[in-house]
Amino acid sequence: MAFTRATGKHRAPSRMTRRSANIAGIATLATAGVVGTLASPAVAAPSTTTDTGLTQAIVIGDTLADQLGAQADAQKQAAAKAKAKAEAEAEAKRKAEQRAEEAREAKEHAAREAERKRLNTFVAPIADSYVSTGYKTGGSLWSSGSHTGIDFHAGIGTPVHAVGMGTVVEAGPGGAYGNNIVIKMHDGTYTQYGHLSVIQVSVGQSVEPGTQIALSGNTGNTTGPHLHFEARTGPEYGSDIDPIAYLRSHGVTV
């Protein structure tokens, strides 16, 4: 007795039904020769080479790497040039500053030398004058029997100058010398200026070569207006030395 299974839209084919259908399909394909083709690979379809782009990618990659390398090299070269330029500019600046410093030092040295020379320079006590009475001239006019200095021709009120750099140690009345000034010079010697009408410095004051210290006159023991000038080894009377030789030894033409 055979049973028949009813089918409906809601029931899927059974496993047996699916298998039968697959067998039937294979048989149909075998009839058409398809199965034989699949089973027997004796004749293969011609192979076709597909361009995958791999070679092109490699070429592009190499070119890009070269470009990046060249760019890196260029950057290194630029950096090296910039560094070299900066170092050259720094060196040039250093040398310029060194030259400026050397020029400044040379200028200062020259100024110091000029000042030293000026301070060591001696001048005549009376400008554009001459010696009217010489050193050691004898006569009754002098208590010592001879002239202890030299006399410069000068009218009353003629400017009198310190012959060199020094310090005033006496400024005022000086007996037979009238109004007088004594200066201790920077080399330890002393100079004296007598018969002055006006004294223009004070004790302790520093003077330089050519500093105006007084006006000439006719005070003290004198026969007329003039400047009495002495050079001494000490501040007191009696330590006199030849004033003409003294001035000439310091470069003064007398």
Side-chain angles (χ1 to χ4, degrees), residues 61-79 81:
D62 290 343
T63 302
L64 181 59
D66 292 341
Q67 291 176 349
L68 292 175
Q71 184 178 6
D73 291 341
Q75 290 174 348
K76 289 180 180 179
Q77 292 177 1
K81 288 182 179 179

Side-chain angles (χ1 to χ4, degrees), residues 159-219:
V160 177
H161 305 97
V163 296
M165 184 174 66
T167 303
V168 177
V169 296
E170 183 179 340
Y177 292 108
N179 295 325
N180 87 127
I181 295 171
V182 178
I183 298 175
K184 181 179 182 179
M185 310 305 291
H186 76 284
D187 62 358
T189 61
Y190 292 79
T191 54
Q192 187 221 22
Y193 313 76
H195 308 307
L196 306 171
S197 61
V198 177
I199 293 175
Q200 298 174 316
V201 292
S202 57
V203 174
Q205 181 176 337
S206 295
V207 295
E208 296 180 357
T211 299
Q212 183 171 317
I213 59 174
L215 299 178
S216 66
N218 193 31
T219 60

Side-chain angles (χ1 to χ4, degrees), residues 214-246:
L215 299 178
S216 66
N218 193 31
T219 60
N221 186 11
T222 177
T223 58
H226 67 276
L227 172 69
H228 176 84
F229 174 79
E230 284 190 23
R232 299 173 174 176
T233 58
E236 304 297 333
Y237 172 82
S239 61
D240 54 279
I241 56 177
D242 186 348
I244 291 181
Y246 177 82

